[in-house]
Amino acid sequence: MRVSVDQARCQGNNRCAAIAYDLFEIDDAGHSHPFYDGLVPAGREEAAVRAAANCPEDAITISENEDTEGLG
Amino acid sequence: MTESIDYDHFADVNLFPVWKHLRETCPVAHSDDMEGFWIASRHAEIAAIARDPELFSSRYVTVPPQNLLGDLALPPLTLDPPEHGPIKAVLTSAFTPKRVAPLEPVVREIVVDAIGMFATKGACDASHEFARVVPLYTIARLLGLPKEDDPKFTDWVHRAIELQGTDESLIAGFEVLEYFSELVEQRQASPGEDFVSYLTQAEIDGEPMADSDIILSSMSVLLAGIDTTWSVLGFAIKHLAEDQELQQRLREDPGLIESAREEFLRFYAPVTVARQATRDTERGGCPIKAEEMVLIPFPSANRDPEAFPDPDTFDVERSPNKHVAFGLGVHRCLGVNLARLELSIALEELLARIPQWRLDPAGEVRWAVGQIRGPRALPILFGD
């Protein structure tokens, strides 16, 4: 699973980091950047999905990558 | 719809049914009250307006339009892009999760001390003695105000915020301005670890911030950071007073407090802002002229069934819950991480230390009026 944050949409609500501080890093401008280059570690998929669903700016997208077997 | 609606947010009325009626019958409505304005009540229009600062300026954010101090802009609240961005970025850097997290012990001490003042009395005004006090002292410590100035600070907040619209409020505003001017000078000479010192050392495009921006930004934090959190906390305490089952459930399962916090934010979002149209435009089929004011009540967006299923039901486990209590777009609330911290700790400690609180049947709940709404007197009884 990969997670990405659209920087144009992100306005620094930081809800994603509140839900999953291990998946999203908040920079000094308050904007969110996924850790691990967006690769979601095993076991954290539900948290990533919840973070995406709770962004009031709809800035987060989740993609299920079939070819990440063996990673994370 | 072209007829004028009656709408007065200086009246002591519950606006939630008013917004509901507007959402259902006239989602973009006009009123001749309060010098005339439009009001968008659905999530879609509120979001679109908040996300378009070029068309909907923050030069004036109140209805009727006014500036707190003559015609001074109050950065970043009343700035538009491109001036808005750099100042907002500097301020935001002081309010990131990394910078707010270390405040936890300070907030917890404030919360526990406040509770200690009434815990043995079996009764208190949970708004005046607790919900007000938590953000007030938190902001005071964040701004680096010395504790001996707390009474002065408390008095200003009372006059500037609770008496808003009066001459007293304006005078208090000028006193705050004078105080911060001196404080900024002191911190420039001798910086500390506080927010004001941080601003004196910050740079925008390689240049230090203008003194006026430091002073006015500090004032913005003071004015925006207190009555807002005070309101949400007051609403939450009242809600739990009236729902003993939920109160007990949170007491037994503190892990649920975070989810409850977000649902309190959605259900009771205290802030309505306004914008000024910068040119003739149209929303929801209604013509809006340049310079007309538009109210965008975030609490109304939070109750829109098109955005939240069963919106008028308080669901402590609501998921997803992408409420807009903290606003949308570039003016998203600066204090979002601090507010969340304060609310969580306040609820946690109140639930742990104050058993079974309920509304005092002999007391009267009183409410703030204006654009930041919430309980300002909340008499409760607790214990046996």
Side-chain angles (χ1 to χ4, degrees):
Chain A
M1 175 183 284
R2 253 186 200 283
V3 66
S4 67
V5 177
D6 181 341
Q7 294 302 311
R9 286 180 173 244
C10 175
Q11 296 292 349
N13 192 292
N14 296 176
R15 187 79 191 281
C16 52
I19 287 169
Y21 64 85
D22 59 318
L23 298 181
F24 299 94
E25 179 167 33
I26 306 299
D27 67 20
D28 277 352
H31 285 219
S32 176
H33 305 271
F35 282 114
Y36 320 118
D37 207 30
L39 275 172
V40 178
R44 297 299 286 149
E45 295 86 352
E46 186 267 333
V49 168
R50 202 155 37 95
N54 281 285
C55 174
E57 302 284 0
D58 299 314
I60 303 175
T61 28
I62 302 281
S63 54
E64 310 272 1
N65 273 358
E66 303 306 325
D67 57 355
T68 55
E69 196 183 281
L71 295 174
Chain B
M1 231 202 198
T2 51
E3 68 217 45
S4 169
I5 61 159
D6 293 324
Y7 190 103
D8 177 8
H9 55 217
F10 297 109
D12 184 11
V13 294
N14 183 0
L15 288 178
F16 281 95
V18 174
W19 293 321
K20 184 179 170 72
H21 182 73
L22 288 174
R23 282 192 307 270
E24 292 169 358
T25 61
C26 191
V28 181
H30 186 265
S31 176
D32 293 328
D33 296 335
M34 300 193 289
E35 297 175 25
F37 63 96
W38 293 90
I39 173 166
S41 50
R42 290 191 188 161
H43 183 284
E45 275 90 27
I46 289 171
I49 290 165
R51 289 171 176 153
D52 193 348
E54 194 268 325
L55 181 51
F56 294 102
S57 165
S58 292
R59 185 67 187 91
Y60 297 102
V61 292
T62 60
V63 167
Q66 56 163 252
N67 272 326
L68 189 65
L69 302 158
D71 222 39
L72 284 175
L74 205 63
L77 191 59
T78 59
L79 293 181
D80 292 319
E83 292 80 25
H84 173 267
I87 292 188
K88 181 68 177 278
V90 169
L91 297 172
T92 295
S93 66
F95 280 91
T96 59
K98 263 187 221 129
R99 290 199 61 111
V100 164
L103 292 171
E104 169 156 355
V106 172
V107 175
R108 199 170 292 276
E109 192 184 330
I110 289 167
V111 164
V112 171
D113 282 354
I115 294 172
M117 301 284 283
F118 55 77
T120 56
K121 296 182 182 171
C124 74
D125 178 336
S127 172
H128 189 78
E129 296 173 56
F130 187 63
R132 178 188 61 105
V133 158
V134 172
L136 190 150
Y137 291 136
T138 298
I139 295 282
R141 299 293 82 81
L142 176 110
L143 290 171
L145 306 192
K147 283 192 178 176
E148 59 259 27
D149 286 342
D150 278 351
K152 197 173 2 185
F153 187 63
T154 302
D155 177 55
W156 286 330
V157 168
H158 168 68
R159 287 152 62 211
I161 294 172
E162 292 180 90
L163 300 180
Q164 67 184 290
T166 66
D167 286 345
E168 255 324 292
S169 173
L170 200 59
I171 294 168
F174 280 111
E175 288 175 23
V176 175
L177 191 62
E178 200 187 332
Y179 179 91
F180 276 107
S181 301
E182 280 171 28
L183 186 69
V184 168
E185 236 183 88
Q186 282 166 24
R187 298 287 181 261
Q188 275 162 337
S190 178
E193 292 297 308
D194 56 282
F195 179 76
V196 173
S197 297
Y198 181 85
L199 292 187
T200 62
Q201 299 176 303
E203 286 187 352
I204 297 179
D205 293 331
E207 295 290 319
M209 281 177 78
D211 281 4
S212 57
D213 282 340
I214 298 175
I215 293 163
L216 293 168
S217 298
S218 301
M219 280 188 68
S220 293
V221 165
L222 190 161
L223 294 170
I226 296 178
D227 55 353
T228 46
T229 306
W230 178 359
S231 283
V232 180
L233 192 46
F235 272 123
I237 294 169
K238 179 174 186 289
H239 186 105
L240 293 174
E242 293 173 308
D243 186 343
Q244 291 294 314
E245 201 184 305
L246 179 60
Q247 190 188 131
Q248 191 53 25
R249 190 173 166 204
L250 292 179
R251 192 170 278 116
E252 287 167 5
D253 184 7
L256 208 47
I257 290 173
E258 196 181 315
S259 181
R261 174 195 75 200
E262 295 302 315
E263 182 68 336
F264 285 128
L265 285 162
R266 180 188 73 86
F267 207 69
Y268 294 117
V271 177
T272 293
V273 296
R275 297 284 184 264
Q276 184 180 48
T278 58
R279 57 179 186 277
D280 288 358
T281 184
E282 171 271 329
R283 281 295 137 127
C286 301
I288 298 176
K289 291 198 180 51
E291 293 185 24
E292 286 191 311
M293 297 300 303
V294 185
L295 271 181
I296 48 173
F298 294 117
S300 184
N302 280 344
R303 300 290 190 105
D304 185 343
E306 291 187 15
F308 300 94
D310 207 8
D312 289 324
T313 297
F314 184 93
D315 176 4
V316 71
E317 290 177 292
R318 182 177 288 271
S319 183
N321 188 354
K322 45 185 198 182
H323 66 78
V324 298
F326 293 115
L328 289 168
V330 298
H331 286 280
R332 170 273 309 160
C333 174
L334 181 66
V336 60
N337 297 307
L338 183 62
R340 289 189 156 119
L341 184 73
E342 290 181 55
L343 291 170
S344 284
I345 294 176
L347 289 172
E348 232 175 86
E349 294 290 354
L350 199 67
L351 286 160
R353 294 165 191 270
I354 301 293
Q356 282 180 287
W357 71 82
R358 57 235 180 242
L359 293 183
D360 181 353
E364 197 194 324
V365 180
R366 284 188 294 105
W367 300 92
V369 295
Q371 288 176 222
I372 317 283
R373 301 177 88 80
R376 292 292 176 259
L378 188 62
I380 60 169
L381 304 172
F382 48 88
D384 301 313

